Amino acid sequence: MNPSVEALLADIPALVPYARQATLLRPKAGRPTAPESHVGGPLLWPVDEEWPVCQGPHLVEVREKLSDEDREAWQRTDRAMRDRRAGRPNAPYEVTHEEADLQARIMDGANALDMITWERIRRVPVPAVPGVPLIGVLQLRAQDVPALEWPEGTDVLQVLWCPRDHADLPGQSYYYGPAVEVRHRSAALVGTLLEPSVPSEAVAGYVPQPCLLDPIQVTDLPDQDELPEDLFDQAEAWAEDRDTEYHRVLSCREGWKAGGWPSWHLTDLVPVDCPACGTRTRLFLTVDSGHDPDLYVGRYGELRVFTCPADAAHPIRLNIQ
């Protein structure tokens, strides 16, 4: 059994101010009903409330056929690179400045080249009219997630997203993925349930498989990025002395999670500030790839939702690691 965060905090009390409560949601395949906390199942949504839609812009694939001249020029460059590498199987491919300029001209800013059909591939933002219905990703009941703060009069949290790709959402730079909405409501005020609209097109990895939750409450700690260096060194040495790892075992806990600390395992720390007031946001929710929900975000990564601690009504921020 791994040593506990509580034991670590008892031995290194300087870490106590950094401790945050979190709920590990632990989704498991099942058949959830509307009143339950769950992933990918029916939501408590009143019949007199319109189902939300996203009007984009969504990223749509556009293909452009290369001219015969550009295709032949690309193939010549390809052959030249292979010839220079001949006899050196572990050597990198070398591209001259002239060849790089030629390839850049042929690509003309496109995202990829299909070398079977010889088509440039672009991802172009296109508005969706009349709109793409959002899909329910997650529903949480307050009694299952004490790690979160709840607006007065609410006891249900719902997370929906548009199951199409978006880039650079309003107030959200350097983001590529689904557009997310977070709603709070009171279960007691929901009578007859609305049958949600179903999108005609969706990115397969953005459509969750229905899952029940088995939530547990944990204490989470930050990793190296958000601790003083000497304090992180103490925590890491404490974990090593007990044959465990500080990262992801005692800090930045993995998986579907409400609250806690984010991991910056693909990048250095990227402070996520509130677009409305500039306050440093806090991790609200982590959506993980794979496992029973069978979702895939980023490069099989984590989509994290951040909220403003100064005002929960301020816009959410999104980040994928």
Side-chain angles (χ1 to χ4, degrees):
M1 180 180 294
N2 289 319
S4 68
V5 173
E6 287 69 27
L8 171 59
L9 296 177
D11 288 348
I12 309 178
L15 283 168
V16 171
Y18 296 93
R20 290 181 182 175
Q21 295 306 301
T23 303
L24 302 182
L25 302 178
R26 304 197 299 178
K28 298 295 181 184
R31 301 182 65 179
T33 61
E36 297 176 285
S37 293
H38 61 262
V39 169
L43 301 185
L44 280 171
W45 199 279
V47 71
D48 59 353
E49 183 176 329
E50 187 175 358
W51 189 261
V53 299
C54 176
Q55 294 184 321
H58 303 125
L59 293 179
V60 176
E61 184 177 284
V62 174
R63 289 174 170 260
E64 305 161 333
K65 193 77 173 178
L66 261 61
S67 68
D68 291 342
E69 292 80 6
D70 282 345
R71 175 177 57 80
E72 291 166 3
W74 190 284
Q75 290 173 320
R76 283 197 303 273
T77 299
D78 233 18
R79 287 194 297 270
M81 286 190 294
R82 288 197 298 271
D83 289 345
R84 285 193 291 270
R85 190 172 178 265
R88 300 180 298 151
N90 297 320
Y93 286 102
E94 297 174 354
V95 184
T96 68
H97 289 298
E98 293 78 9
E99 290 167 343
D101 290 343
L102 174 67
Q103 290 181 334
R105 180 190 64 75
I106 293 172
M107 290 299 292
D108 189 27
N111 307 97
L113 177 64
D114 186 329
M115 296 179 69
I116 297 175
T117 63
W118 292 102
E119 295 170 314
R120 283 186 296 256
I121 303 173
R122 301 183 190 277
R123 303 281 284 174
V124 179
V126 176
V129 179
V132 174
L134 303 191
I135 60 174
V137 177
L138 175 68
Q139 178 171 278
L140 298 175
R141 299 296 298 266
Q143 66 264 30
D144 296 324
V145 195
L148 297 181
E149 294 183 6
W150 294 79
E152 186 176 355
T154 69
D155 58 3
V156 177
L157 165 71
Q158 295 167 333
V159 178
L160 306 93
W161 67 29
C162 173
R164 303 282 294 275
D165 280 320
H166 299 71
D168 293 347
L169 294 167
Q172 180 71 56
S173 299
Y174 309 112
Y175 174 79
Y176 184 99
V180 178
E181 287 193 18
V182 175
R183 307 268 183 121
H184 286 89
R185 67 174 73 251
S186 167
L189 299 180
V190 180
T192 306
L193 300 184
L194 177 70
E195 186 70 27
S197 302
V198 178
S200 58
E201 294 183 30
V203 175
Y206 297 163
V207 181
Q209 298 299 313
C211 288
L212 301 169
L213 302 183
D214 181 24
I216 60 168
Q217 315 311 316
V218 299
T219 302
D220 205 14
L221 290 168
D223 206 354
Q224 181 174 7
D225 314 80
E226 306 195 65
L227 283 176
E229 184 176 354
D230 62 335
L231 193 53
F232 170 74
D233 290 342
Q234 292 179 57
E236 192 171 49
W238 187 96
E240 289 176 354
D241 287 345
R242 289 155 181 81
D243 295 321
T244 191
E245 294 185 14
Y246 179 73
H247 178 63
R248 293 301 211 177
V249 175
L250 300 169
S251 70
C252 304
R253 297 289 294 271
E254 289 186 284
W256 287 68
K257 179 172 70 175
W261 285 92
S263 169
W264 301 101
H265 49 279
L266 293 185
T267 65
D268 293 331
L269 171 64
V270 181
V272 181
D273 295 331
C274 173
C277 67
T279 301
R280 174 78 178 274
T281 60
R282 286 174 66 110
L283 179 64
F284 178 73
L285 178 71
T286 301
V287 172
D288 199 12
S289 289
H291 309 293
D292 286 351
D294 201 29
L295 288 179
Y296 298 90
V297 293
R299 296 179 178 177
Y300 200 80
E302 299 173 341
L303 185 152
R304 292 91 65 80
V305 180
F306 293 81
T307 56
C308 178
D311 190 337
H314 285 172
I316 62 173
R317 295 297 304 274
L318 305 173
N319 177 275
I320 291 180
Q321 285 278 305

